[in-house]
Amino acid sequence: KTMIKRAMLMTAVTAILILAAQMAAAYTITTGSSYGPYQSGQGGEFTLQADHALQSILAGYVSGTTSDIKQQNPLSSTPQPGTFQSFCLEKDEHLYTGASYSVTISNQANGGGQNTNFGDPISIGTAYLYSHFNRGSLSGYQYGTESQRETSAAALQHAIWYLENEETYADAGGASNIFLNAVLTQFGSLENADDDSNGAYGIKVASLWVPGHEGDLSYARQDQLIATPIPAAVWLLASGLIGLTAFRRRPVNGSGC
């Protein structure tokens, strides 16, 4: 049994390391002639074109609702395969239309935005909201009419900025922001919703860079949200890893936790 447990442990670790390597690899995202049909003012929704390699991890999006939307404004009925809808994390970082960016994927914004310059992990509240948005199931979000969707997008963007410590509660709309109320209900308090997500809900940061300068903060552009569902097999292996770790710890510290 011990040998089987060790084999399971090594397999789980290997699978997780492979996944981590995939997330760290550089992809490419391209912006169109506009930021997309549902973007107005500052912030998202942004319509971003993923390269072929990145498209393979966009299975969690809903075609025609949160992906495969044409990169133009006003809205076109012609689908554009490989696009996905996103929101930015930092108010002091920017991206530009008609540009291609190298992309790395992790659990945190690299520069950290207005509140820090040493990396800023996604909050659990942000991950929760975007995970429902990308599946087309975020309660109160108007996915239909273009003008109503822009209003919803602005409210969600401000909720994200608040949860990422980029603006104040009042600036985010306070109690009138339905998405802040949603995380308040889900997590019991806004303070709880501000905890680090650590990859929960499969939501990550797609950090955009000037090509050839990945990792150099002077060439960092905007940090965008992206849904990167972990394959079920890896979740099972990771669960096995956690279970084995717990099993091995119990005799040592006498605790059931």
Side-chain angles (χ1 to χ4, degrees):
K1 290 184 179 180
T2 300
M3 292 299 294
I4 293 173
K5 291 172 185 175
R6 288 179 179 173
M8 289 178 62
L9 180 64
M10 293 304 297
T11 303
V13 169
T14 301
I16 293 169
L17 289 175
I18 291 172
L19 178 67
Q22 290 175 336
M23 294 298 98
Y27 301 96
T28 300
I29 279 177
T30 304
T31 56
S33 58
S34 76
Y35 293 119
Y38 303 125
Q39 193 275 339
S40 64
Q42 188 180 12
E45 295 178 37
F46 294 100
T47 303
L48 304 174
Q49 177 73 52
D51 67 7
H52 181 73
L54 186 56
Q55 288 176 33
S56 66
I57 60 172
L58 299 182
Y61 292 83
V62 180
S63 181
T65 301
T66 56
S67 67
D68 303 328
I69 292 171
K70 198 163 181 65
Q71 286 179 307
Q72 68 179 59
N73 198 352
L75 182 62
S76 169
S77 60
T78 304
Q80 184 170 334
T83 63
F84 68 99
Q85 302 301 110
S86 188
F87 293 84
C88 61
L89 291 166
E90 312 299 350
K91 294 190 75 171
D92 63 350
E93 296 177 346
H94 308 281
L95 75 165
Y96 303 93
T97 57
S100 291
Y101 299 100
S102 293
V103 181
T104 55
I105 299 176
S106 69
N107 286 332
Q108 67 177 21
N110 286 289
Q114 298 190 157
N115 59 309
T116 177
N117 287 317
F118 299 100
D120 186 9
I122 311 173
S123 72
I124 191 70
T126 292
Y128 171 81
L129 290 172
Y130 188 70
S131 71
H132 283 277
F133 164 81
N134 87 279
R135 297 197 304 269
S137 60
L138 182 57
S139 180
Y141 201 94
Q142 301 298 318
Y143 290 96
T145 306
E146 185 175 346
S147 60
Q148 291 180 329
R149 183 158 173 167
E150 288 178 358
T151 300
S152 288
L156 180 55
Q157 180 66 84
H158 282 290
I160 290 168
W161 277 334
Y162 170 76
L163 291 165
E164 299 306 311
N165 299 305
E166 293 293 303
E167 64 182 23
T168 66
Y169 182 67
D171 287 340
S176 66
N177 190 314
I178 62 171
F179 304 119
L180 288 180
N181 293 335
V183 294
L184 180 61
T185 299
Q186 177 68 21
F187 298 103
S189 71
L190 291 175
E191 182 178 4
N192 290 339
D194 189 45
D195 289 345
D196 294 349
S197 69
N198 297 315
Y201 303 105
I203 304 304
K204 302 279 188 177
V205 179
S207 297
L208 276 54
W209 311 87
V210 174
H213 297 279
E214 299 82 2
D216 185 341
L217 291 180
S218 60
Y219 290 92
R221 294 300 179 255
Q222 185 54 262
D223 290 300
Q224 298 279 337
L225 288 167
I226 190 168
T228 58
I230 296 176
V234 176
W235 275 121
L236 289 172
L237 288 169
S239 299
L241 174 62
I242 293 169
L244 285 171
T245 302
F247 177 86
R248 292 174 66 84
R249 286 178 59 193
R250 286 191 189 105
V252 174
N253 56 25
S255 170
C257 54

